[in-house]
Amino acid sequence: MAALCRAEPRTKEKIMSSRQNIPATGSNLIMVPLAKLKNSPKNVRKMPHSLSEIDALAASIAALGMLQYPIVEPETDAKGKPTGAYLVNAGEGRRLAQLLRAKRKKIKKDEPIPCILDITHNATEISLAENAVRASMHPADEFEAFAELHNEQGMSAEDIAARFGVTAAVVRQRLKLGAVSPALLTLYRGEEMNLDQLTAFGITDDHARREEVWQSLALNISMIPNAAC
């Protein structure tokens, strides 16, 4: 591990300066024992992940593996000597999810975790990019994705729930919302309809009845693009 910890000259960069994504190649992809990964004091995220978030992430990792590897740098002592541990500058949620899996005896406590070693870029910038420079998925996209897994991949609500760390009841609710007319989902995406209104249309599979309910809410049906569903 000593060879992996050999530092290269650091470059001084301003926070949020442009930088290229680091490819997962043999030169910077390393395997670090889970017990050797530590939360980085340079992590800009101070609000901890919720237990439900960690549980959902652990379920996703168990089903699909880590789709994005943590970005780490060697930990050093007061004299600048490597301790043998690694600080997670980006991917703390993934570290906690793996610790949860180890606690549940799904993996070993010293399970080798693939990580991206970055000793070139500013650690604060890396952490900020991980937490700030990203867009959350719209709920409507999630509803439709769950519906696709169910309708096209043949996955049951229980299967989907196990893979994404939610209850089967939550999955069934999202499946109902994903089955709503695409035209109404478009209105929801455009903030012309709220979630409570959208949920009302999940009561029936009849698109004509959904439009009748929409009219009963005193909203103009002409607002719905491609209303003939």
Side-chain angles (χ1 to χ4, degrees), residues 32-49 54 70-76 83 85-97 99 115 123 127 130-131:
V32 182
L34 177 58
K36 293 289 186 180
L37 291 175
K38 294 184 177 182
N39 182 29
S40 173
K42 300 172 186 175
N43 192 325
V44 299
R45 179 169 179 154
K46 305 307 179 186
M47 180 67 70
H49 294 275
I54 299 304
I71 300 179
V72 302
E73 67 175 337
E75 180 187 53
T76 56
T83 65
Y86 287 82
L87 301 175
V88 178
N89 293 324
E92 174 63 7
R94 277 151 272 167
R95 184 184 78 91
L96 293 175
L99 286 173
C115 299
S127 179
E130 164 84 359
N131 289 282

Side-chain angles (χ1 to χ4, degrees), residues 22-195:
I22 304 172
T25 62
S27 61
N28 52 31
L29 178 61
I30 61 174
M31 303 299 291
V32 182
L34 177 58
K36 293 289 186 180
L37 291 175
K38 294 184 177 182
N39 182 29
S40 173
K42 300 172 186 175
N43 192 325
V44 299
R45 179 169 179 154
K46 305 307 179 186
M47 180 67 70
H49 294 275
S50 68
L51 294 178
S52 61
E53 289 173 337
I54 299 304
D55 192 47
L57 188 51
S60 175
I61 291 173
L64 303 172
M66 281 198 303
L67 302 181
Q68 187 176 357
Y69 298 147
I71 300 179
V72 302
E73 67 175 337
E75 180 187 53
T76 56
D77 60 21
K79 296 182 179 180
K81 182 179 179 180
T83 65
Y86 287 82
L87 301 175
V88 178
N89 293 324
E92 174 63 7
R94 277 151 272 167
R95 184 184 78 91
L96 293 175
Q98 294 286 33
L99 286 173
L100 178 59
R101 296 183 68 215
K103 182 178 180 180
R104 293 173 173 172
K105 301 187 185 304
K106 300 297 183 182
I107 59 175
K108 298 180 295 183
K109 292 182 178 180
D110 59 350
E111 182 79 14
I113 304 298
C115 299
I116 301 297
L117 177 66
D118 188 344
I119 55 176
T120 301
H121 299 98
N122 182 284
T124 301
E125 180 184 2
I126 292 172
S127 179
L128 184 57
E130 164 84 359
N131 289 282
V133 188
R134 62 181 176 183
S136 299
M137 173 183 265
H138 192 280
D141 297 332
E142 182 179 334
F143 302 155
E144 289 185 324
F146 273 53
E148 181 177 342
L149 290 177
H150 178 67
N151 298 328
E152 298 185 19
Q153 304 299 323
M155 295 176 61
S156 68
E158 289 74 17
D159 290 336
I160 297 172
R163 285 175 171 265
F164 294 94
V166 295
T167 65
V170 168
V171 173
R172 292 189 186 95
Q173 179 187 41
R174 292 174 184 175
L175 290 175
K176 287 184 178 180
L177 292 170
V180 169
S181 165
L184 298 180
L185 284 172
T186 296
L187 285 177
Y188 177 52
R189 286 188 177 95
E191 299 183 354
E192 298 178 62
M193 175 185 288
N194 62 39
L195 182 58

Side-chain angles (χ1 to χ4, degrees), residues 191-228:
E191 299 183 354
E192 298 178 62
M193 175 185 288
N194 62 39
L195 182 58
D196 288 339
Q197 291 169 332
L198 185 70
T199 301
F201 291 96
I203 297 174
T204 175
D205 294 331
D206 187 337
H207 285 185
R209 175 57 180 159
R210 286 169 177 160
E211 293 180 1
E212 183 181 337
V213 173
W214 179 250
Q215 288 177 315
S216 73
L217 293 173
L219 295 174
N220 193 337
I221 192 64
S222 65
M223 295 173 58
I224 304 177
N226 303 319

